Amino acid sequence: MFSAAIFDMDGLLVDSERAIMNTWITVGLDLGIALSASDYLRIVGRSSTECELILTELLGGAATFREALARVRQHLSKPSVNPIFPLKSGARTLLTELSRAGIPCAVASSSPVDEIRSRLGRVGVLHFFKTIAGGDEVDRGKPDPAVYRLAAHRLGVPADACLAFEDSDNGAHAAASAGIAVVVVPDLKPPAAEVAELSFRILGKLDVAIEHVADWFTTRDTKFA
């Protein structure tokens, strides 16, 4: 049984990946570049620096990337576009149950810490997390295990006593490489065969994990948040 939980954010806790992907594809078309969903999936779960390198390559140069990035940010900040990415189904209930059971939780995301705090704060779940580890705090993003190791260290819990929740292949590899068991809840694409093989569980949606809190975690009768 596990004594702590570590969560990815985008595509796992908040429904952000699809909206951001569609915006990049639309902006690419506006600039005369046909970005596909499979192109975008190359960056899912990676650090901001690695995303920039990949998108620069896909868009044909740094100048085009900068123009596209400005347009993406402008589009997502329009009053007509809801900038609050909603919670994924089951996220709040699962976090509530873990809190009631006294299970400390952390976030290990490729997004910068300020962005993590902003997105989770807007949907009212930031208080559930004892600590946060962001992609701007490590040298390499997922699938490198650094951000998961940092999250476990800040929780003060051994890696093998943590259970990670991820939606992407890169994230699952990162958790597993850190010695952390991982539950995969796919978002934009099903897990690759090797990811399915290394996973503790594959779930169709996060809601399913709620009924397993008592089975998977060493619970305490104290509230964490």
Side-chain angles (χ1 to χ4, degrees), residues 126-141:
L126 183 60
H127 67 285
F128 284 109
F129 298 98
K130 179 179 180 182
T131 191
I132 287 170
D136 56 337
E137 299 185 291
V138 294
D139 292 332
R140 299 185 64 182

Side-chain angles (χ1 to χ4, degrees), residues 111-172:
S111 295
V113 169
D114 286 348
E115 194 167 285
I116 296 168
R117 293 189 181 279
S118 175
R119 289 185 184 176
L120 296 182
R122 288 180 176 185
V123 291
V125 296
L126 183 60
H127 67 285
F128 284 109
F129 298 98
K130 179 179 180 182
T131 191
I132 287 170
D136 56 337
E137 299 185 291
V138 294
D139 292 332
R140 299 185 64 182
K142 301 172 184 178
D144 189 271
V147 73
Y148 268 103
R149 288 174 176 161
L150 179 60
H153 173 74
R154 287 178 173 170
L155 282 172
V157 177
D160 61 3
C162 298
L163 182 62
F165 291 85
E166 271 286 351
D167 69 289
S168 71
D169 288 358
N170 285 330

Side-chain angles (χ1 to χ4, degrees), residues 57-219:
E57 173 196 341
L58 291 170
L59 293 167
T64 307
F65 167 77
R66 288 193 295 270
E67 174 65 19
L69 179 61
R71 293 191 185 195
V72 167
R73 287 174 172 170
Q74 182 181 36
H75 176 79
L76 292 175
S77 65
K78 287 179 180 179
S80 59
V81 177
N82 186 355
I84 302 176
F85 299 117
L87 279 171
K88 298 277 281 189
S89 176
R92 187 184 303 278
T93 303
L94 176 57
L95 291 169
T96 299
E97 289 303 307
L98 289 169
S99 173
R100 288 173 177 167
I103 303 300
C105 296
V107 175
S109 170
S110 295
S111 295
V113 169
D114 286 348
E115 194 167 285
I116 296 168
R117 293 189 181 279
S118 175
R119 289 185 184 176
L120 296 182
R122 288 180 176 185
V123 291
V125 296
L126 183 60
H127 67 285
F128 284 109
F129 298 98
K130 179 179 180 182
T131 191
I132 287 170
D136 56 337
E137 299 185 291
V138 294
D139 292 332
R140 299 185 64 182
K142 301 172 184 178
D144 189 271
V147 73
Y148 268 103
R149 288 174 176 161
L150 179 60
H153 173 74
R154 287 178 173 170
L155 282 172
V157 177
D160 61 3
C162 298
L163 182 62
F165 291 85
E166 271 286 351
D167 69 289
S168 71
D169 288 358
N170 285 330
H173 279 296
S177 295
I180 298 172
V182 58
V183 173
V184 176
V185 188
D187 181 37
L188 294 180
K189 67 173 185 177
E194 75 273 8
V195 170
E197 182 68 23
L198 64 80
S199 298
F200 176 70
R201 295 286 191 281
I202 303 289
L203 304 182
K205 55 184 180 178
L206 204 54
D207 306 68
V208 179
I210 298 166
E211 64 192 69
H212 293 291
V213 168
D215 301 327
W216 294 350
F217 294 93
T218 303
T219 59

